[in-house]
Amino acid sequence: MCAPGEHHLGKLAGWNDTLAWGMAGVLAAYAGIAAAVASKRPKGAPGKLSAVLGAWLSLATAMSAQPVSHMFVTGHWTAEPRPPVWLVVTVSCVPPLVLGHLLHLAATPVRVTPVATPAAPVTGAVTTEEPISSVPAAPAPAWTVAVPAGVRLLPIVPPAKVIEYDDERCYAIRPLYAAGLRPGTKAMRTALLDAGFADCSDGIIRGKLRDEIERHEPHLALLPPAPVAIGA
């Protein structure tokens, strides 16, 4: 219902019949884009106030176009022998002003609100015991949060990842690393025999079984070797 009045004013301002319909399109786009920007911009962000004003201005422009057009159609005002100069100037300035404001809204960045520094930082770390058949949890980085008064923090323990060995004999050898030393061939052979496995060569024990364990947990290969007296 607004479009005919806006089209009429466009023709009075000097555009031909086809281009005059652009007046209705300009005001409709202005109202829609400005309202969308105003609703999506966070409070206090650059362009928020400008978009709100633009949304209201677009509605006011669309509403004012109707009574002005109707004044000329009903004969209260006359465009004979030619439209008033104020009407021609005002209507002609609408498209560039609308385009300029929309470009301004599009070029205005949305400000990201910085996170406030906690008033009472608390720093802690997580420590876990090394599981026998699972990957040890990586050292947790230090964390800093604001803790309300009276709230007790509990340590966060990440879930352990269970290791599945290709050779089940590795499960008998892995507990030997709990002493903090890299077991030798004799100790590993004793562990295999105690677990009910058949005896095997030194190459299989060191080159296959121990290698598979340390492939899953590379840090175990860095442990100091067990002394000969313990069973290296």
Side-chain angles (χ1 to χ4, degrees):
M1 295 178 66
C2 294
E6 295 157 356
H7 172 263
H8 180 220
L9 293 184
K11 291 189 65 176
L12 291 179
W15 286 300
N16 60 35
D17 186 73
T18 302
L19 287 179
W21 284 111
M23 194 69 181
V26 164
L27 293 179
Y30 189 27
I33 296 175
V37 173
S39 61
K40 291 183 179 180
R41 290 285 171 94
K43 185 178 181 180
K48 172 72 173 181
L49 179 60
S50 179
V52 173
L53 294 177
W56 283 107
L57 181 60
S58 64
L59 295 176
T61 305
M63 287 189 294
S64 62
Q66 307 317 304
V68 172
S69 174
H70 292 167
M71 287 290 186
F72 285 99
V73 172
T74 58
H76 289 80
W77 291 347
T78 178
E80 299 296 338
R82 56 180 176 270
V85 65
W86 62 265
L87 177 68
V88 177
V89 173
T90 302
V91 175
S92 299
C93 289
V94 168
L97 291 176
V98 169
L99 178 61
H101 191 204
L102 292 181
L103 290 176
H104 164 71
L105 294 178
T108 305
V110 179
R111 181 179 60 203
V112 179
T113 304
V115 179
T117 304
V122 178
T123 304
V126 178
T127 57
T128 56
E129 294 184 358
E130 179 186 350
I132 293 179
S133 299
S134 60
V135 177
W143 47 265
T144 302
V145 296
V147 182
V151 177
R152 179 185 177 187
L153 292 179
L154 297 178
I156 301 175
V157 181
K161 180 180 177 181
V162 178
I163 296 177
E164 295 184 1
Y165 297 115
D166 296 333
D167 194 316
E168 61 178 355
R169 290 176 291 183
C170 295
Y171 293 104
I173 297 176
R174 178 57 180 82
L176 300 177
Y177 288 89
L181 300 172
R182 192 176 186 220
T185 306
K186 182 177 179 180
M188 291 187 288
R189 174 175 282 109
T190 301
L192 290 173
L193 296 176
D194 292 343
F197 293 105
D199 192 11
C200 52
S201 66
D202 294 355
I204 292 179
I205 294 176
R206 292 193 304 268
K208 181 180 179 182
L209 303 181
R210 188 171 66 180
D211 181 71
E212 181 178 350
I213 295 173
E214 295 176 354
R215 187 171 65 252
H216 285 284
E217 301 175 87
H219 66 283
L220 296 180
L222 304 178
L223 294 176
V228 176
I230 296 179

